[in-house]
Amino acid sequence: MHTIRRSHERGQADHGWLQSRHSFSFASYHDPQHMGWGNLRVINEDRVAPGMGFGTHGHRDMEIISYVLSGELAHRDSLGHVKTIPSGDVQRMSAGTGVMHSEFNHSASQAVHFLQIWILPAQHGIEPGYEQASVSDADKRGRLHCIAAPQGQGGAVALHADARIHAGLFDGDESERLELNPRRKAYVQVARGSVVANGVALQAGDALLLRDEAAVALAQGQDAEVLVFDLAP
C-alpha cells in the first residue's frame, strides 16, 4: 500500500535567504494530515543563500541528519564541533539532553542545497553526540547504500533510533530492490532527477510513503538521487 506525496503539495517557506520545502508539519506550516511517517518527523529541503545561515539555536531529544546535495555547510555546536559538511556528506547530531548549534553558508557565490531530517529517538535523555561521514558517488552508483543505521552498522553514521537511511544514484538501466519488513513503514524521497519507485513515476521533491510492502524497487532513473527510509511503524 502506498501514498504519493508530490513536491508541490509540500509546505513552503520563503525567508529570502532561505527557501524551504516541508514534507511534514514544521514551524508555521501545519497540516494534521502530514505530521510524520513512522518515527520520521521532518524532511526539509533547504536552500541557503551565499553568506547566510541559521543562527545559534537549541534542540532536545531528536536525531537530526543533514544530507548535503550541493555546496558546503559550516556547522558549529556547543559540544565543541566546528565542521564543514561538503556535498555528499551525511551528518548526524543527537540532540539528547540538549545541544546548541548553528549552520552557515560561507560561500560568496554558491547556495547550499541540503536535506534536514529529524527522526524520533528510541529513548529520551541520551548524551548529545555528533558524527559525520563522507559517502562517495561510487558507493551510491546504481545501488542503495546505507548511510545511517542503529549503532552505525556497516560504516553508516549511528542513529539512536529504530531507522535506517539508504541513498542511491540511478540513471539509465540501473535498478535496485531493497527488501522490507511489511510490518514496518518506508519512505522514498527523490532529492533530484526522476525515478520509478514501485511502479510510480516520481520527480525531484516527490515522495512515496509505503506500508505493508515487502520491498522498494527503483528503476528508470534519470540523473536521480534517492533516499529510502526504513522506519519503525
Side-chain angles (χ1 to χ4, degrees):
M1 182 176 181
H2 67 253
T3 302
I4 305 168
R5 175 79 155 144
R6 295 296 182 189
S7 177
H8 68 270
E9 296 171 346
R10 297 178 294 175
Q12 184 173 3
D14 182 351
H15 300 285
W17 64 273
L18 170 67
Q19 303 294 319
S20 187
R21 290 293 188 118
H22 307 315
S23 296
F24 304 109
S25 294
F26 185 86
S28 61
Y29 167 63
H30 179 74
D31 182 345
Q33 300 302 312
H34 297 283
M35 296 298 297
W37 186 245
N39 53 350
L40 175 61
R41 178 60 187 85
V42 167
I43 298 182
N44 291 344
E45 182 182 3
D46 291 340
R47 288 177 169 85
V48 180
M52 303 298 290
F54 302 89
T56 301
H57 59 287
H59 297 283
R60 294 178 63 91
D61 292 321
M62 192 67 69
E63 296 291 281
I64 300 172
I65 300 97
S66 296
Y67 185 81
V68 178
L69 296 163
S70 63
E72 292 186 343
L73 193 65
H75 169 93
R76 181 185 296 268
D77 64 41
S78 55
L79 304 176
H81 301 106
V82 180
K83 301 285 187 178
T84 298
I85 313 168
S87 174
D89 271 25
V90 57
Q91 173 217 65
R92 183 268 303 162
M93 185 178 70
S94 298
T97 54
V99 66
M100 304 291 291
H101 75 123
S102 64
E103 261 74 32
F104 201 82
N105 177 12
H106 288 296
S107 173
S109 58
Q110 183 182 7
V112 173
H113 182 198
F114 76 107
L115 298 179
Q116 178 187 168
I117 300 156
W118 293 10
I119 296 177
L120 297 169
Q123 67 181 74
H124 288 181
I126 66 171
E127 182 179 350
Y130 180 96
E131 188 178 4
Q132 184 173 331
S134 201
V135 186
S136 71
D137 284 357
D139 289 332
K140 299 178 287 186
R141 184 78 266 160
R143 62 188 291 259
L144 286 170
H145 178 74
C146 187
I147 62 171
Q151 290 81 52
Q153 298 156 354
V157 297
L159 290 178
H160 300 91
D162 182 9
R164 286 173 174 79
I165 306 174
H166 302 79
L169 302 172
F170 299 93
D171 195 45
D173 294 333
E174 294 171 335
S175 64
E176 174 72 302
R177 179 182 173 89
L178 178 67
E179 301 297 326
L180 300 173
N181 181 340
R183 293 187 295 273
R184 295 171 63 81
K185 290 184 176 179
Y187 191 91
V188 180
Q189 179 73 48
V190 182
R192 54 184 156 202
S194 63
V195 75
V196 174
N198 288 22
V200 179
L202 302 174
Q203 305 293 322
D206 290 349
L208 195 65
L209 293 76
L210 301 169
R211 63 180 176 184
D212 303 323
E213 295 280 351
V216 172
L218 303 175
Q220 300 177 46
Q222 295 184 12
D223 295 322
E225 185 158 7
V226 183
L227 270 63
V228 176
F229 299 78
D230 178 351
L231 302 161

